[in-house]
Amino acid sequence: MLAKVYLLLYNCSLGFGWSLVLWYTLQELHGSQTTSTVYRKVEVPLKVSQTLAVLEILHAAVGLVRSSPLTTFIQVQSRLVVLWLVLDPVREIQSEVNVPVMICAWCVAEIVRYWYYALSIVDKVPYLLTWCRYSLFTVLYPVGVSGELLTIYTSLSTSPPLAGFSVSLPNKLNVSFSYPSFLVLYMLGYLPYLPKLYLHMLKQRA
């Protein structure tokens, strides 16, 4: 019983959180007529809502939900990397048009997902929400992932900010690390698991 109450509160909170992010995004796009200020407008609720998704890995690991811990980890970490290690520190890319598109795709997908989970707990899921849950991802997932990859790719041209994350020789540990190279490898890392995740969601739809 306590687990159900906790999950209901968790999913409702994230449902409200992502709804707030979407509202601020659309409000800023309508009011300012530009994409350049969207990220700063939604920064705080976006960071809070997305970072709280880390708890879903724990939920899966301890058996609180039936999701695979590995699949959940892959889905959550990709957005956290884009948000905290690319988009947030590299201010130059925050005004790119792909950023609000990516954020909107994240928002709609998460609003549907969290409210679907919340209402499933109390067995009150309307048909329309079920349809959205298992149909909209066919568009939202490619749009969101494309936005993530484009955000990472765009950041590679901003060498001064990225240089701050790199480690060059000589140093006491005698170790070097190229952050731009890491991001390139990270982008390539999308290739093996993207089809797997997409097929996994198609399987759930069936």
Side-chain angles (χ1 to χ4, degrees):
M1 182 62 182
L2 286 177
K4 284 189 174 182
V5 172
Y6 164 73
L7 289 174
L8 180 62
L9 291 174
Y10 174 82
N11 287 302
C12 286
S13 297
L14 270 296
F16 278 119
W18 282 104
S19 297
L20 187 64
V21 175
L22 182 60
W23 170 253
Y24 282 163
T25 300
L26 297 178
Q27 188 180 55
E28 188 66 17
L29 287 172
H30 176 73
S32 64
Q33 301 294 313
T34 178
T35 62
S36 62
T37 57
V38 169
Y39 177 74
R40 286 301 168 190
K41 177 71 174 181
V42 305
E43 180 180 4
V44 173
L46 175 62
K47 286 179 176 178
V48 171
S49 298
Q50 186 55 63
T51 304
L52 282 175
V54 171
L55 291 175
E56 293 176 36
I57 303 172
L58 180 61
H59 297 166
V62 301
L64 204 56
V65 296
R66 291 182 294 177
S67 303
S68 162
L70 179 59
T71 301
T72 304
F73 171 77
I74 291 173
Q75 291 174 318
V76 172
Q77 62 82 27
S78 64
R79 288 191 185 177
L80 290 177
V81 168
V82 171
L83 178 59
W84 285 103
L85 300 183
V86 179
L87 184 57
D88 189 65
V90 187
R91 291 177 176 270
E92 289 80 356
I93 65 172
Q94 293 172 2
S95 60
E96 295 291 330
V97 68
N98 61 281
V99 173
V101 173
M102 177 185 70
I103 291 175
C104 284
W106 285 1
C107 285
V108 176
E110 298 297 59
I111 290 169
V112 170
R113 186 169 71 93
Y114 283 117
W115 284 118
Y116 175 84
Y117 287 158
L119 294 176
S120 293
I121 294 172
V122 294
D123 296 319
K124 297 292 183 181
V125 184
Y127 170 77
L128 180 59
L129 186 58
T130 301
W131 183 88
C132 290
R133 168 72 177 124
Y134 293 105
S135 299
L136 293 184
F137 82 88
T138 56
V139 175
L140 296 174
Y141 188 70
V143 171
V145 170
S146 298
E148 293 170 24
L149 291 171
L150 188 56
T151 298
I152 298 174
Y153 177 78
T154 306
S155 73
L156 295 174
S157 62
T158 59
S159 53
L162 290 181
F165 292 93
S166 299
V167 178
S168 58
L169 293 171
N171 56 66
K172 292 182 179 180
L173 296 176
N174 198 33
V175 173
S176 63
F177 173 73
S178 170
Y179 192 63
S181 297
F182 163 75
L183 290 179
V184 171
L185 292 175
Y186 189 81
M187 290 175 67
L188 293 175
Y190 271 70
L191 297 177
Y193 74 80
L194 276 181
K196 181 180 178 180
L197 291 178
Y198 196 74
L199 290 174
H200 171 72
M201 289 186 286
L202 284 176
K203 186 177 179 180
Q204 286 184 318
R205 186 187 186 195

